[in-house]
Amino acid sequence: MIKQVGTAALVGALTVAVAACGSGGGNGGGSAASPTGSSEAASSAPASAKPAGKIKLSYWTGDRHDQDYIKEIVQKFNDTNPDGIEVEMVVKTDDFNQAIDLAFSSGQAPDLIRVKENTIQPWAKKGYLEPIDSYLTDEFKRKFPAIPDFNVIDGKTYSLPNYGSTIRLVYNKDLFKKAGIAEPPKTLAEMVEDAKKLTAAGKADGAYGFAQNFKSTQSALFRSARVIAEASGYGGLGYDFKTARYDWNGYKEIIQAFKQMVDDGSTMPGMESLDIDPLRAQFAEGKIGMYLSFSSEPGVYKDQFPAKIDWAAAPAPTIDGTVKGKTSLLGGLWLAISAQSKNKDAGWKFMQYMYGDDILKTYQEKGFGLSMVPEIAKIAGKPNIVGIDGFLPTENDGTWPLEPTSAIKVEGELATDAFFKYMLSGGDLDAMIQDLNKRYNDALDKAIAAGEAKAEPDPGFDPMKIR
């Protein structure tokens, strides 16, 4: 049932896996007992007696790019599991994090939740999530190697890895050709100039050089400015791992370039109300020259918004054309069980099913994400869809350490809101950054004092040596 409502070891394994043409065996997708269909990996928790009636579970997710596939496999679970479990999948299209907070505060939390790198820590600390260690066999632990601070928090496991996402510049090859641009930009200056040329070339057809989904400033800048900052050697979320302090100066030239594109008239009008799916729909129609986003885009343009243009993906530009840091390979977690669920054992059976070989293998092959599970990466074939090649992990992708942003409470305007306001209206950017640094570091100090965050300087941190 589905309801839609509004409100480098891994890099190496991934690269080898998606480069392979064939696919291997694995029968886990059809079993609710283990991810491999074997009794070896079955839960060590006591088996419950088969219920007389239905056990109804709710699963909430904010993901839209894969919802048709997940709907299909949830329905298969409902139709085939022998335990009378029925899962209702709810896709929260807006304000997912706020909806989760409200659901827990009102005692109406879902049984299972889609967690991400920016939510698992605060939700675990708030007591929203149930540790799953008692369910994990040695086989499970071997098959799904945990990532500290992502799957395991304070010694407790809350989720298991599924897929990872790279971030790239997505560009309209047809419009680039029409504008006489031979290759995607490698520097901020080239991006600004290319956006101007693309807009001029597309003017008659209502096309613009650049866009981002600024209806959510965090979503927009953390899939665009973030990756440019990382590739330029700065922490993508404003945090400096060398000093263990926030320093948003790494964003300065990036935001200036974004503002220049706005001033030049090179950006799509109405970006302040543009969500990611409407942006994708416009790009698929050829109305946008370039934007930055995750490796889920090829699947989107195959199924959700079939592209009517020739398009590709390329590494994000850097400030000066020099790569000084690896860009984020995001992911490493997926489903979690709610601490408020009254049917945790049933929730675990659904998790086991979802982490089955066939399901995870097909997830990659359909282009929804690149598997971060080594055994799945070995057997999953390369997604046979347009645009995936540009998103494949390279030696310049890696998993950055988890910074403390999700654990702090910043007073006043968030950095992403302040930067977008500057893009539209201008102002004193240096003073703005100085104010952001003070407020973010004040919030960090308070979180550390309260035991809610940890921050240790790492003077030798090298953004080119993360793995």
Side-chain angles (χ1 to χ4, degrees):
M1 180 183 298
I2 183 170
K3 182 191 294 181
Q4 182 158 330
V5 296
T7 66
L10 284 173
V11 173
L14 287 167
T15 305
V16 171
V18 294
C21 295
S23 61
N27 58 357
S31 171
S34 77
T36 59
S38 68
S39 58
E40 243 187 328
S43 167
S44 59
S48 303
K50 186 172 180 179
K54 289 282 187 182
I55 299 176
K56 295 191 176 183
L57 302 177
S58 58
Y59 165 50
W60 286 15
T61 177
D63 290 342
R64 287 172 281 186
H65 72 286
D66 61 0
Q67 63 177 299
D68 289 340
Y69 174 59
I70 301 301
K71 172 186 176 182
E72 175 187 323
I73 60 177
V74 168
Q75 188 59 53
K76 182 179 178 182
F77 175 82
N78 290 343
D79 293 341
T80 61
N81 82 86
D83 300 292
I85 303 170
E86 181 179 287
V87 178
E88 177 190 41
M89 176 179 164
V90 178
V91 182
K92 292 285 187 181
T93 56
D94 294 306
D95 303 323
F96 181 64
N97 297 354
Q98 293 89 332
I100 291 291
D101 284 332
L102 181 61
F104 275 91
S105 66
S106 63
Q108 300 178 21
D111 297 281
L112 297 116
I113 310 168
R114 166 68 161 110
V115 290
K116 297 186 177 183
E117 64 277 353
N118 65 324
T119 58
I120 191 166
Q121 286 225 5
W123 289 351
K125 292 182 184 298
K126 289 177 180 179
Y128 292 178
L129 308 180
E130 180 74 10
I132 59 174
D133 300 275
S134 63
Y135 295 107
L136 297 178
T137 63
D138 290 341
E139 171 67 9
F140 248 101
K141 294 174 184 177
R142 182 197 64 76
K143 183 170 183 178
F144 297 95
I147 305 173
D149 295 330
F150 288 84
N151 306 124
V152 180
I153 300 167
D154 296 331
K156 297 178 180 179
T157 307
Y158 292 97
S159 185
L160 299 171
N162 172 13
Y163 70 95
S165 297
T166 56
I167 309 176
R168 298 289 189 260
L169 179 81
V170 182
Y171 67 102
N172 180 338
K173 293 175 70 175
D174 292 338
L175 192 54
F176 266 68
K177 183 177 180 180
K178 186 176 180 180
I181 304 171
E183 59 183 11
K186 293 182 171 59
T187 69
L188 284 179
E190 289 176 359
M191 184 174 71
V192 171
E193 186 61 27
D194 287 352
K196 193 184 299 185
K197 292 178 181 178
L198 292 166
T199 303
K203 187 175 181 179
D205 299 316
Y208 291 85
F210 184 81
Q212 282 297 150
N213 54 312
F214 278 106
K215 181 178 181 180
S216 167
T217 61
Q218 281 195 329
S219 178
L221 289 177
F222 288 168
R223 73 176 70 207
S224 59
R226 169 187 189 159
V227 68
I228 297 171
E230 289 174 345
S232 300
Y234 298 102
L237 302 182
Y239 183 77
D240 187 339
F241 288 95
K242 290 184 178 180
T243 63
R245 305 298 288 172
Y246 282 91
D247 184 357
W248 290 98
N249 279 292
Y251 264 53
K252 180 178 177 179
E253 292 179 83
I254 302 168
I255 299 303
Q256 287 176 327
F258 282 16
K259 175 173 170 46
Q260 188 61 55
M261 288 190 288
V262 172
D263 292 346
D264 291 343
S266 302
T267 59
M268 175 162 281
M271 280 199 307
E272 63 276 9
S273 60
L274 188 62
D275 206 348
I276 187 61
D277 277 352
L279 182 154
R280 289 162 167 163
Q282 291 290 323
F283 183 80
E285 294 290 333
K287 303 300 183 182
I288 295 171
M290 55 183 168
Y291 71 104
L292 293 109
S293 196
F294 301 104
S295 48
S296 54
E297 303 306 272
V300 168
Y301 292 124
K302 177 179 181 293
D303 298 318
Q304 190 177 357
F305 301 108
K308 300 178 181 178
I309 57 171
D310 188 13
W311 69 279
T318 65
I319 291 174
D320 62 4
T322 305
V323 176
K324 300 175 183 176
K326 294 190 177 184
T327 54
S328 282
L329 178 61
L330 299 168
L333 59 178
W334 196 25
L335 307 186
I337 298 174
S338 165
Q340 286 189 8
S341 175
K342 296 178 181 178
N343 295 292
K344 296 183 179 68
D345 287 355
W348 174 246
K349 288 180 179 179
F350 177 66
M351 276 189 68
Q352 287 178 297
Y353 168 82
M354 292 292 283
Y355 279 96
D357 286 8
D358 282 352
I359 288 174
L360 300 188
K361 174 174 165 288
T362 304
Y363 198 94
Q364 170 170 299
E365 292 174 349
K366 283 182 172 289
F368 299 126
L370 304 172
S371 182
M372 293 184 77
V373 182
E375 286 193 11
I376 301 301
K378 290 176 183 177
I379 64 173
K382 174 183 173 181
N384 185 26
I385 51 178
V386 172
I388 193 65
D389 288 341
F391 283 102
L392 299 184
T394 72
E395 61 181 7
N396 287 332
D397 295 300
T399 300
W400 280 66
L402 191 64
E403 37 67 47
T405 302
S406 63
I408 68 174
K409 299 178 179 65
V410 180
E411 294 184 5
E413 195 171 45
L414 295 177
T416 54
D417 292 333
F419 286 139
F420 187 55
K421 184 182 295 183
Y422 172 81
M423 286 170 54
L424 297 181
S425 306
D428 188 336
L429 186 55
D430 288 325
M432 181 183 297
I433 290 173
Q434 185 177 359
D435 172 65
L436 288 170
N437 289 344
K438 182 179 186 308
R439 289 190 290 109
Y440 272 73
N441 285 315
D442 286 348
L444 176 60
D445 291 338
K446 289 179 181 178
I448 292 172
E452 297 171 350
K454 297 177 183 178
E456 295 291 337
D458 182 2
F461 178 77
D462 185 343
M464 285 299 293
K465 291 182 179 179
I466 62 173
R467 294 186 291 176

